[in-house]
Amino acid sequence: MELDVVELSRLQFALTALYHFLFVPLTLGLSVLVAIMETVYVMTGRPIWRQMTKFWGMLFGINFAIGVATGITMEFQFGMNWSYYSHYVGDIFGAPLAIEGLMAFFMEATFVGLFFFGWDRLGKVAHVIVAWLVAIGSNFSALWILIANGWMQHPVGAEFNPDTMRMEMTSFTEVLFNEVAQAKFVHTVSAGYVTASAFVLGVSAWYLLRGRHVALARRSITIAASFGLASALSVVVLGDESGYEASANQKMKLAAIEAMWETQPAPASFTLIGFPDQEARETHYAIHIPWVMGLIGTRSFDTEIPGINDLVTEAEARVRSGLVAYDALMTIRERRADTPAEVRATFEDHSADLGYAFLLKRYVDDPREASDAQIAQAADDTVPGVWPLFWAFRIMVAIGFSLIIVMAYFFWRSSFRSQSYPRWALRGAVLFMPAPWIAAEMGWIVAEFGRQPWTVDGVLPTALSVSHLSVQELLLTIAGFTLFYTVLFVVEMGLMLKYIRKGPVEDVAETEIWEARHEHRLRTHDGNVPSSTPAESLP
């Protein structure tokens, strides 16, 4: 197996996945915000809320369309670049992907059409139901994708069949209710809600700085700050749940995130900042906060979090156990139905470690012929890149807490300062718009890079998962995808900026008239139409 092919395949999928994830959080969050705005419109009957729904809904539609185009190409890569992975675990991984397409995406796509073209054909209640179905469909889509991804992080409800040489599902319920998948889902969608809130907040702040669409901007900030604050707090709480799950199911990832080389006495400290040195197996200039990591990772004062060195020793033992399973597997393949019962029993006893024996395929064709040095190297390969994980996690966390502060400040100004905002705060909201996207991308780097060297944790190494492609073919497809996605990015940014600069264009006259009449009523309390507004023009 050529390592260059593996690395290029990883690079291509990383580029497409990270690019696609630029659109996913905004779709998840903006669909819910739009549904909330339309709900307020139905409850109050005020045209300003319908105008807000249509304006933010238009931006949602642009993002949704481009996001769909970028997502489709990702699924093709499972067959093109990761064919052995698709063959080996397709029975499990393919099920949630198929359900996502048939149930969530079709639902979402159908009701998106009704949302945009049903304003004059559906009643208020029917249309707001459609808006919520779009939001539910978007979140259902994320659910099934994250169930599939969660299974890669923590494979449950499946076992290896030595007769077919494939993983087969044993319990769909276990796959569906995988605790890692559920923690990832709620954490990811909450991050999407924060992203959309920061987007609405930033655009609205830009309008206020220029004195345009003030009524829409003030109400949008109120909604975004309230929803964003709740979501930002949820992200932190649910992120803590992901850390707790990692301590139980992905110990090496957690140790790498913390650059914890040695097992510390419980409760372990949290490294606030430092400079990990993977070759020397130490962290230079580390600043520790006592007890915090132990409380986050174990929720106890007396449970240890194993360090990287101890986990490598454990991995070496699992490689040797996996070799026993591999030897039995080769006998089963050779003798088929005539395999002695004791050989099958031996395989069953050690089958949980078979994937660790596959790590040796990187160094030798037959793992049984591996030397002690190669076994030790395979065990050492279970350590992911510590430096990028360490810093990606801290960037994500720092932005997450910053978002809480930003959302709390604007919530306070919206609730207790009559929706008045200093210009410095509005400028800050505009400049801070990219922050949640950066945090989301860092989160995916932590999740996916931290799983290495596995495609499916403990089951299938990344080096065995790729298709038989040449370096030239991969370079060509990477260049093609890069060009295609660059074009889509230019189109997305061009359309978004165009319609943001243009502002709301629908229901403008009706909204202005209604607001003028409402302001007059508040001022005079007589319920009469202001003399400057023709009575016949009022709705």
Side-chain angles (χ1 to χ4, degrees):
M1 182 70 66
E2 290 183 57
L3 186 59
D4 286 343
V5 172
V6 176
E7 295 304 318
L8 287 172
S9 296
R10 289 181 62 200
L11 174 62
Q12 178 173 303
F13 197 84
L15 289 172
T16 54
L18 290 173
Y19 185 88
H20 175 61
F21 205 66
L22 291 172
F23 303 94
V24 172
L26 188 58
T27 296
L28 292 174
L30 207 50
S31 63
V32 176
L33 281 170
V34 167
I36 291 173
M37 291 173 186
E38 184 165 4
T39 301
V40 177
Y41 164 63
V42 172
M43 293 174 65
T44 65
R46 302 185 67 173
I48 182 66
W49 290 98
R50 181 172 62 189
Q51 185 185 61
M52 290 167 60
T53 303
K54 289 185 176 181
F55 173 68
W56 296 113
M58 175 179 59
L59 299 181
F60 162 80
I62 295 169
N63 187 76
F64 173 79
I66 304 295
V68 168
T70 61
I72 291 174
T73 57
M74 288 183 61
E75 298 199 13
F76 281 115
Q77 287 184 76
F78 293 123
M80 293 167 55
N81 293 54
W82 304 93
S83 58
Y84 189 72
Y85 166 79
S86 299
H87 164 78
Y88 198 78
V89 301
D91 285 359
I92 306 99
F93 187 77
L97 289 186
I99 296 172
E100 187 271 336
L102 293 172
M103 176 179 145
F105 179 73
F106 282 3
M107 170 184 175
E108 183 182 18
T110 299
F111 288 108
V112 161
L114 288 174
F115 176 82
F116 285 107
F117 301 108
W119 280 103
D120 299 325
R121 295 172 175 83
L122 300 173
K124 286 184 178 181
V125 174
H127 198 275
V128 76
I129 291 173
V130 166
W132 279 108
L133 288 173
V134 170
I136 292 169
S138 299
N139 285 264
F140 261 140
S141 182
L143 172 65
W144 291 108
I145 294 295
L146 291 167
I147 286 173
N149 183 268
W151 185 83
M152 295 169 67
Q153 309 282 344
H154 179 48
V156 295
E159 64 181 21
F160 179 78
N161 186 333
D163 296 308
T164 62
M165 292 292 291
R166 303 176 69 208
M167 294 291 292
E168 296 178 356
M169 186 181 295
T170 58
S171 173
F172 180 72
T173 302
E174 289 185 28
V175 175
L176 178 61
F177 293 105
N178 182 348
E179 58 266 27
V180 173
Q182 300 304 318
K184 285 174 68 67
F185 169 68
V186 292
H187 183 60
T188 302
V189 297
S190 295
Y193 299 160
V194 177
T195 302
S197 298
F199 174 75
V200 172
L201 184 67
V203 173
S204 301
W206 186 77
Y207 283 145
L208 290 182
L209 285 169
R210 282 154 180 76
R212 298 174 56 197
H213 315 298
V214 173
L216 178 143
R218 291 189 186 279
R219 288 171 175 82
S220 295
I221 287 178
T222 300
I223 290 287
S226 305
F227 187 61
L229 177 59
S231 301
L233 292 170
S234 298
V235 168
V236 173
V237 173
L238 299 170
D240 171 73
E241 179 66 25
S242 295
Y244 180 69
E245 293 296 339
S247 71
N249 303 306
Q250 291 183 294
K251 294 181 174 65
M252 184 63 82
K253 176 191 284 187
L254 185 63
I257 288 171
E258 185 54 21
M260 186 184 295
W261 308 105
E262 302 291 346
T263 301
Q264 297 182 15
S269 61
F270 174 77
T271 305
L272 180 64
I273 194 170
F275 299 92
D277 184 342
Q278 194 153 349
E279 290 186 8
R281 295 284 176 94
E282 63 177 315
T283 303
H284 303 291
Y285 309 109
I287 298 175
H288 300 287
I289 304 177
W291 294 14
V292 173
M293 194 65 228
L295 295 176
I296 292 175
T298 67
R299 295 176 183 171
S300 71
F301 289 97
D302 56 2
T303 304
E304 290 183 337
I305 297 177
I308 290 174
N309 292 334
D310 287 344
L311 291 171
V312 169
T313 302
E314 180 184 321
E316 183 171 342
R318 296 194 69 176
V319 171
R320 295 185 184 278
S321 173
L323 286 173
V324 178
Y326 186 85
D327 183 61
L329 177 62
M330 293 301 100
T331 303
I332 293 171
R333 290 192 65 188
E334 180 182 347
R335 302 188 63 174
R336 299 291 181 180
D338 297 329
T339 303
E342 58 269 20
V343 174
R344 288 190 178 272
T346 299
F347 175 79
E348 291 299 327
D349 290 341
H350 296 271
S351 61
D353 298 323
L354 179 63
Y356 284 82
F358 288 157
L359 290 170
L360 291 164
K361 287 274 190 178
R362 179 176 176 181
Y363 305 104
V364 60
D365 290 335
D366 188 341
R368 294 171 294 184
E369 299 175 359
S371 65
D372 288 342
Q374 289 170 326
I375 291 174
Q377 183 60 52
D380 196 59
D381 288 343
T382 60
V383 183
V386 174
W387 192 91
L389 278 176
F390 182 89
W391 283 107
F393 177 79
R394 277 148 185 79
I395 292 170
M396 176 186 69
V397 171
I399 293 175
F401 280 103
S402 299
L403 283 163
I404 292 177
I405 295 172
V406 171
M407 294 299 172
Y409 175 79
F410 277 94
F411 176 77
W412 173 66
R413 300 292 304 195
S414 298
S415 303
F416 305 107
R417 288 296 181 270
S418 303
Q419 297 181 319
S420 63
Y421 312 100
R423 293 187 68 82
W424 65 264
L426 297 174
R427 293 191 187 97
V430 175
L431 295 175
F432 204 63
M433 282 175 64
W437 274 277
I438 296 172
E441 299 290 354
M442 293 298 105
W444 272 111
I445 289 173
V446 169
E448 302 305 301
F449 196 81
R451 193 182 62 239
Q452 296 307 310
W454 306 101
T455 312
V456 181
D457 192 54
V459 172
L460 182 64
T462 306
L464 290 184
S465 303
V466 297
S467 303
H468 293 287
L469 299 171
S470 68
V471 171
Q472 291 76 16
E473 289 172 326
L474 282 166
L475 290 173
L476 180 63
T477 54
I478 289 174
F481 277 124
T482 301
L483 177 62
F484 174 62
Y485 279 14
T486 300
V487 171
L488 289 179
F489 180 76
V490 172
V491 171
E492 161 88 1
M493 294 303 296
L495 289 173
M496 281 290 197
L497 292 174
K498 173 185 176 181
Y499 286 101
I500 288 172
R501 290 193 184 103
K502 192 174 183 180
V505 294
E506 297 189 63
D507 303 326
V508 174
E510 180 182 359
T511 299
E512 290 177 350
I513 292 171
W514 197 99
E515 291 296 325
R517 182 176 64 180
H518 181 68
E519 183 180 350
H520 176 80
R521 284 175 171 173
L522 291 176
R523 189 169 57 247
T524 63
H525 303 287
D526 61 6
N528 294 326
V529 177
S531 58
S532 59
T533 304
E536 61 272 12
S537 68
L538 295 176

